[in-house]
């Protein structure tokens, strides 16, 4: 595998491994966070070795917890949920599915990957600077993210590097989006009109359009906030702000402006994470049910309906930010209307499987698991889409449960399904099915046991982003739930060792893949035999 | 879609016989299915223009919101040179587009002359912008000052960054044109660069209009 390659399949594998590195780091961080939440005063020797300033005596400081939270969110949202479902798997099979020779702009494609990698390196670097990593979370709300080191350790150079990383990532994502859109429109084989292209291609196409429209907005917002930080402008910092007993010299900006710009990107980002997975599981379910996808046109229309509505609902992240109640009603109605195309999709997946000759391969199990998790996570979205209920739930674990299921676990199930399904196209071998199924059942059950109880913690008012629950009496009765979640999270993470073993073992020692192991009719399996000779 | 567009088919014979023909393949990259890379390049640049529009749209909407937020907004007195810059940019667009049309009719000598003129005008626009920034600074309007001047600098810098990128493409075309590597059937880069150049006009007129008549 050449390092600087313009070959789309090589780039696909590069994205895959970048995402893998990010998800391993992200999971490790989440375990540290879960440990700290349950045993906040425990002294761990190697904590102090790792963070001599922020874990004096081996006990994590709240700042350290917040920086872990920030890195976890940023890694997972950008480098796992954005890169793996589209950049990795679209690069792998999109050209073959379209009958194209390759991506439209191979060199641009390579550039996208290397910018993404640079962004990853900068992000990791932002956590290794002397003051420690940024504390602002993946949403980086000003004013604290805009005023520099006075807002806390890590809010200086660390936060600046974080914004540079996200800016680079935005550019990389825009370039990928341009490549995918041009490939779908112009590179198709003559016998492959738009009416015939697989659903996966439609979903990557819709995702690319969302990337194209939302990442530039994040880039613009990032540029403005960097000027606030480095050049003394006041786009997002209000007048008369007092931080650490010092009056901040800025004047007249608006932190709410950032929230609007950020969530105009941030909400479509949710669909950037999930739409590719929907395409992937449509193909997988159809493949292993030995039936064409039920309601293909409805699937395409609902994909674009979700993408379009997804661009109009950013305000539901801001219900408690002092949003005008009338606009909250509009955002709420639009948000809940996303339930309609989502229900269309769910119905069609079930109808595709219904009466088919189901074959429960690992990929199929993860695809069906996706439907289950998607419905569960989606239902709590209907709850949170109502301003009155969100006022209570917004800062609780209910939201943590919601977005981890709908955006994190559902999208990860799509990634697992795609990994198992297209593994032969990546490495010429098949993954072990027995280990794959074991990994699925454990992951499926433990996902529910980890994130399910978070709903109850949220109902009971357990606040999110807190580093330590033990200092509040009213949270004491909830500690058993938190302890359960932590143990379950440890088990869930341990179950992923099966996947890792299966992945790396199958990569080198797995059974050699036959030409079309899943007896698929999709072009990437039937069209191109050249890859088997590599 | 994947049709073999303008791949030398129907191109008039070269008028200067002792120069390389500048014809033959549809483009300089891609395998045998060359025709569609030209369409893809046009699609790519249009899509890139959408992305840029979103970036500027985000900044302008931030500006609209910021102005309505409080009563500290002061109208920025625009330096007169900006109107000259506007004229130069529009003229450069006309010149570049005329050049592009001439290349399609295989008038390669005229193309080279006009494209060179367009390139120089583009560079002149950038120089003019630098003068405008200096003049504003001399009059005490800084990035850190009133939000109106902050937004002016941000938007004009972002536009200038786009111009620098476009100018790189225009100079690349210039470089290849002077070696007579371009022709009626080898002009994807020309079309792409010209299209983006016109887009910068539209963007600039928007920014100029905003600051001259609204902000």
């Amino acid at each position: 595998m050449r390092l600087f390659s313009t070959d789309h399949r090589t780039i696909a594998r590069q994205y895959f491994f970048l995402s893998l590195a990010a998800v391993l780091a992200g999971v490790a961080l989440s375990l540290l966070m879960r440990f700290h939440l349950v045993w906040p005063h425990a002294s761990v020797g190697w904590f102090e070795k790792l963070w001599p300033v922020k874990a004096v005596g081996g006990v994590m400081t709240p700042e350290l917890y917040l920086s872990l939270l920030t890195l976890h969110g940023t890694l997972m949202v950008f480098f796992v949920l954005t890169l793996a479902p589209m950049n990795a798997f679209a690069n792998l099979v999109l050209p073959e599915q379209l009958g194209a020779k390759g991506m439209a702009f191979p060199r641009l494609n390579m550039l996208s990957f290397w910018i993404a990698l640079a962004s990853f390196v900068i992000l990791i670097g932002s956590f290794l600077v002397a003051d420690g990593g940024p504390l602002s979370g993946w949403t980086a709300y000003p004013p604290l993210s805009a005023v520099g080191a006075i807002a806390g350790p890590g809010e200086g150079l660390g936060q600046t590097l974080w914004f540079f990383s996200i800016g680079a990532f935005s550019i990389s994502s825009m370039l990928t989006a341009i490549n995918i859109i041009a490939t779908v429109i112009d590179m198709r084989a003559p016998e492959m009109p738009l009416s015939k292209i697989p659903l996966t291609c439609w979903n990557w196409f819709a995702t690319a359009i969302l990337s194209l429209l939302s990442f530039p907005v994040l880039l613009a917002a990032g540029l403005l906030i960097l000027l606030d930080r480095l050049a003394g402008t006041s786009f997002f910092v209000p007048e008369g702000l007092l931080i650490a007993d010092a009056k901040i010299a800025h004047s007249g900006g608006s932190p709410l402006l950032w929230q609007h710009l950020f969530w105009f990107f941030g909400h479509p980002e949710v669909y950037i994470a999930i739409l590719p997975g929907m395409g992937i599981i449509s193909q997988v379910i159809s493949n292993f049910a030995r039936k064409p996808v039920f309601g293909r046109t409805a699937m395409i229309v609902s994909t674009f309906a979700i993408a379009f509505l997804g661009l109009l609902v950013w305000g539901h992240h801001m219900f408690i930010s002092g949003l005008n109640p009338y606009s909250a009603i509009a955002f709420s109605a639009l948000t809940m209307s996303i339930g309609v195309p989502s229900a269309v999709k769910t119905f069609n997946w079930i109808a595709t499987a219904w009466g088919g000759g189901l074959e429960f391969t690992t990929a199929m199990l993860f695809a069906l698991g996706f439907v289950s998790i998607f419905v569960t996570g989606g239902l709590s979205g209907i709850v949170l889409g109502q301003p009155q209920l969100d006022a209570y739930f917004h800062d609780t674990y209910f939201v943590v449960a919601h977005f981890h299921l709908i955006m994190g676990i559902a999208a990860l199930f799509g990634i697992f399904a795609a990994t198992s399904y297209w593994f032969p196209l990546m490495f010429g071998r098949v993954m072990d099915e027995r280990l794959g199924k074991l990994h699925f059942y454990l992951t499926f059950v433990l996902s529910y046991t980890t994130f399910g109880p978070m709903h109850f913690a949220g109902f009971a008012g357990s606040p999110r982003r807190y580093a330590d629950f033990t200092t509040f009496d009213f949270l004491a009765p909830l500690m058993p739930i938190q302890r359960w979640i932590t143990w379950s999270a440890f088990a869930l993470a341990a179950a992923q060792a099966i996947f890792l073993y299966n992945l790396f073992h199958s990569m080198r020692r797995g059974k050699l893949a036959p030409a079309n192991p899943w007896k698929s009719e999709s072009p990437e399996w039937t069209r191109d035999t050249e890859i088997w000779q590599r | 879609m994947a049709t073999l567009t303008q791949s030398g088919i129907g191109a008039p014979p070269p008028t200067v016989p002792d120069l390389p023909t500048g014809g033959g393949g549809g483009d300089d990259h891609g395998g045998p299915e060359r025709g569609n890379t030209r369409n893809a390049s046009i699609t790519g640049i249009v899509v890139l223009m959408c992305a840029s529009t979103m970036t500027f749209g985000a900044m302008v909407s931030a500006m609209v919101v910021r102005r309505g937020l409080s009563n500290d907004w002061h109208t920025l007195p625009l330096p007169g040179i900006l109107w000259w810059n506007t004229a130069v940019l529009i003229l450069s667009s006309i010149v570049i587009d005329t050049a592009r049309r001439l290349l399609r009719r295989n008038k390669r000598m005229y193309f080279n002359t006009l494209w060179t003129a367009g390139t120089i005008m583009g560079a002149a626009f950038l120089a003019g912008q630098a003068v405008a920034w200096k003049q504003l600074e001399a009059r005490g309007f800084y990035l850190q000052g009133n939000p109106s001047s902050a937004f002016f600098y941000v938007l004009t810098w972002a536009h200038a960054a786009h111009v620098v990128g476009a100018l790189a493409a225009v100079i690349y075309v210039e470089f290849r044109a002077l070696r007579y590597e371009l022709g009626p059937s080898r002009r994807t880069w020309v079309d792409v660069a010209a299209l983006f150049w016109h887009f910068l006009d539209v963007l600039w007129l928007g920014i100029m209009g905003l600051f001259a008549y609204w902000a």
Side-chain angles (χ1 to χ4, degrees):
Chain A
M1 188 159 108
R2 272 179 60 202
L3 198 55
F4 291 95
S5 173
T6 53
D7 171 48
H8 62 93
R9 289 194 206 96
T10 304
I11 294 172
R13 280 173 286 175
Q14 288 174 327
Y15 275 120
F16 183 80
F17 285 115
L18 177 58
S19 285
L20 192 66
V23 81
L24 291 176
V27 168
L29 292 165
S30 67
L31 295 182
L32 287 172
M33 281 152 55
R34 284 308 319 175
F35 176 86
H36 179 74
L37 283 175
V38 176
W39 297 285
H41 310 297
S43 170
V44 181
W46 54 270
F47 282 4
E48 193 170 20
K49 285 201 186 103
L50 271 176
W51 301 285
V53 184
K54 289 192 163 186
V56 180
V59 180
M60 267 190 219
T61 55
E63 291 81 31
L64 180 57
Y65 176 86
L66 284 178
S67 71
L68 300 181
L69 178 110
T70 304
L71 185 57
H72 168 78
T74 313
L75 280 173
M76 292 301 203
V77 169
F78 291 104
F79 292 93
V80 181
L81 300 178
T82 308
L83 288 189
M86 182 159 84
N87 298 28
F89 293 114
N91 265 308
L92 185 69
V93 297
L94 180 86
E96 272 69 35
Q97 291 195 335
L98 297 171
K101 267 200 81 73
M103 298 295 273
F105 312 113
R107 274 171 288 183
L108 197 67
N109 203 9
M110 181 176 84
L111 185 67
S112 302
F113 171 75
W114 288 97
I115 296 177
L117 184 67
S119 153
F120 180 75
V121 171
I122 299 171
L123 178 68
I124 299 298
S126 77
F127 282 80
L128 302 176
V129 295
D131 295 349
L135 316 175
S136 299
W138 84 281
T139 56
Y141 277 8
L144 290 181
S145 67
V147 293
I150 193 168
E155 288 296 275
L157 182 61
Q159 188 69 51
T160 302
L161 288 175
W162 188 91
F163 281 117
F164 273 112
S165 164
I166 295 314
F169 191 90
S170 304
I171 293 171
S172 159
S173 292
M174 275 190 279
L175 297 182
T176 304
I178 291 169
N179 221 335
I180 286 179
I181 292 171
T183 306
V184 171
I185 294 178
D186 292 306
M187 303 301 283
R188 281 172 289 118
E191 65 273 17
M192 193 57 98
L194 278 179
S195 57
K196 277 193 188 168
I197 65 171
L199 282 179
T200 41
C201 300
W202 276 115
N203 280 43
W204 282 318
F205 186 52
T207 308
I209 293 173
L210 279 182
S211 282
L212 184 84
L213 298 178
S214 60
F215 273 106
V217 175
L218 180 65
L219 180 64
L223 284 175
L224 294 180
I225 206 166
L226 272 173
L227 288 174
D228 273 6
R229 294 179 61 83
L230 302 174
T233 55
S234 300
F235 295 112
F236 303 118
V237 188
E239 176 83 56
L241 185 70
L242 278 175
I243 295 177
D245 293 334
K247 187 170 178 290
I248 303 296
H250 295 259
S251 65
S254 162
L256 266 187
L257 194 56
W258 168 267
Q259 293 191 24
H260 279 290
L261 292 173
F262 180 85
W263 287 115
F264 185 84
F265 149 78
H267 196 77
E269 168 62 29
V270 175
Y271 297 105
I272 291 169
I274 201 77
L275 283 177
M278 292 177 166
I280 290 162
I281 69 143
S282 300
Q283 174 170 349
V284 169
I285 293 178
S286 153
N287 190 147
F288 293 111
R290 305 270 163 242
K291 278 173 67 189
V293 172
F294 180 87
R296 181 183 143 87
T297 311
M299 282 295 212
I300 298 168
V301 171
S302 58
T303 294
F304 280 89
I306 290 175
F308 176 69
L309 290 170
L311 283 167
L312 304 176
V313 297
W314 76 91
H316 70 214
H317 296 270
M318 300 169 59
F319 285 151
I320 62 161
S321 298
L323 197 69
N324 180 328
Y326 294 105
S327 62
I329 292 171
F331 280 124
S332 174
L334 282 165
T335 300
M336 279 186 274
S337 68
I338 297 181
V340 177
S342 304
V344 168
K345 281 198 174 299
T346 308
F347 179 84
N348 285 2
W349 287 320
I350 295 170
T352 304
W354 194 269
L358 298 188
E359 195 185 333
F360 291 102
T361 58
T362 308
M364 178 66 157
L365 288 171
F366 272 111
L368 296 174
F370 177 104
V371 180
S372 163
I373 301 268
F374 176 69
V375 170
T376 311
L379 287 176
S380 54
I382 301 281
V383 176
L384 291 170
Q386 302 174 60
Q388 314 86 319
L389 295 176
D390 185 63
Y392 177 77
F393 283 127
H394 190 85
D395 277 324
T396 70
Y397 264 75
F398 192 85
V399 173
V400 181
H402 164 70
F403 70 70
H404 275 93
L405 284 176
I406 191 93
M407 186 183 182
I409 301 297
L412 273 174
F413 272 37
I415 294 170
F416 283 136
T419 305
S420 171
Y421 186 73
W422 283 317
F423 191 81
L425 291 183
M426 279 198 278
F427 304 107
R429 293 166 189 270
V430 281
M431 287 177 83
D432 188 277
E433 277 292 303
R434 273 170 58 197
L435 285 178
K437 284 175 193 170
L438 179 65
H439 170 235
F440 164 75
Y441 286 115
L442 287 173
T443 305
F444 184 70
V445 172
L446 290 167
S447 293
Y448 272 118
T449 56
T450 304
F451 297 105
M454 285 188 188
H455 294 97
F456 303 119
F459 273 130
S462 193
R464 60 182 171 133
R465 302 196 189 97
Y466 279 29
D468 184 353
F469 295 133
T470 56
T471 46
F472 304 96
D473 288 341
F474 79 101
L475 290 174
L478 298 175
M479 280 315 280
I481 295 186
Q482 295 292 355
R483 239 173 269 132
W484 166 275
I485 294 172
T486 292
W487 282 115
S488 177
F490 282 159
L492 179 59
Q496 305 317 304
I498 302 171
F499 171 75
L500 286 178
Y501 172 78
N502 195 358
L503 185 78
F504 286 107
H505 182 78
S506 305
M507 217 179 275
R508 278 172 295 159
R509 303 257 166 85
K511 216 168 61 181
L512 283 175
N516 185 354
W518 316 119
K519 298 182 185 60
S520 168
E521 285 171 13
S522 185
E524 80 272 22
W525 295 105
T526 55
R527 176 175 174 267
D528 198 320
T529 51
E530 161 219 358
I531 48 168
W532 305 110
Q533 284 133 33
R534 304 207 291 170
Chain B
M1 243 211 69
T3 51
L4 287 166
T5 17
Q6 296 100 7
S7 293
I9 299 160
T15 47
V16 189
D18 55 337
L19 293 172
T21 61
D27 213 311
D28 57 340
H29 50 74
E33 296 168 31
R34 279 184 178 173
N36 48 22
T37 60
R38 177 181 156 79
N39 285 358
S41 299
I42 306 279
T43 306
I45 201 69
V46 170
V47 172
L48 177 67
M49 280 154 33
C50 295
S52 289
T53 307
M54 287 307 290
T55 305
F56 280 92
M59 291 188 201
V60 168
S61 54
M63 176 167 142
V64 172
V65 171
R66 176 66 186 83
R67 191 189 177 200
L69 217 58
S70 49
N71 49 10
D72 60 349
W73 191 278
H74 298 301
T75 302
L76 185 73
L78 294 181
I81 191 172
L82 285 177
W83 295 105
W84 289 105
N85 293 351
T86 310
V88 168
L89 188 66
I90 293 174
L91 198 62
S92 74
S93 226
I94 295 170
V95 168
I96 276 184
D97 206 66
T98 313
R100 185 184 68 85
R101 283 156 199 271
L102 285 169
L103 184 72
R104 207 165 55 184
R105 286 160 44 200
N106 210 13
K107 303 264 201 290
R108 290 198 275 158
M109 301 280 238
Y110 292 120
F111 169 79
N112 286 1
T113 316
L114 282 179
W115 195 271
T116 310
T119 312
I120 293 170
M121 284 181 207
F125 171 79
L126 273 183
Q129 294 292 87
V131 172
W133 294 324
K134 281 270 168 245
Q135 287 182 355
L136 273 176
E137 256 178 39
R139 284 195 246 156
F141 295 99
Y142 300 106
L143 176 71
Q144 296 84 352
N146 195 262
S148 63
S149 62
F151 275 106
F152 178 82
Y153 280 111
V154 168
L155 286 168
T156 51
W157 283 345
H159 181 265
H162 279 69
V163 175
V164 169
L167 210 53
V170 167
I171 289 172
Y172 174 71
V173 169
E174 173 75 19
F175 177 71
R176 294 188 53 185
L178 291 180
R179 302 200 310 186
Y180 288 98
E181 287 175 5
L182 303 172
S185 57
R186 205 174 261 261
R187 57 191 168 83
T188 301
W189 266 97
V190 178
D191 289 351
V192 165
L195 207 56
F196 197 70
W197 199 258
H198 300 331
F199 168 68
L200 294 181
D201 276 19
V202 176
L203 216 51
W204 177 249
L205 288 177
I207 295 171
M208 202 54 197
L210 210 56
F211 278 94
Y213 301 109
W214 181 81

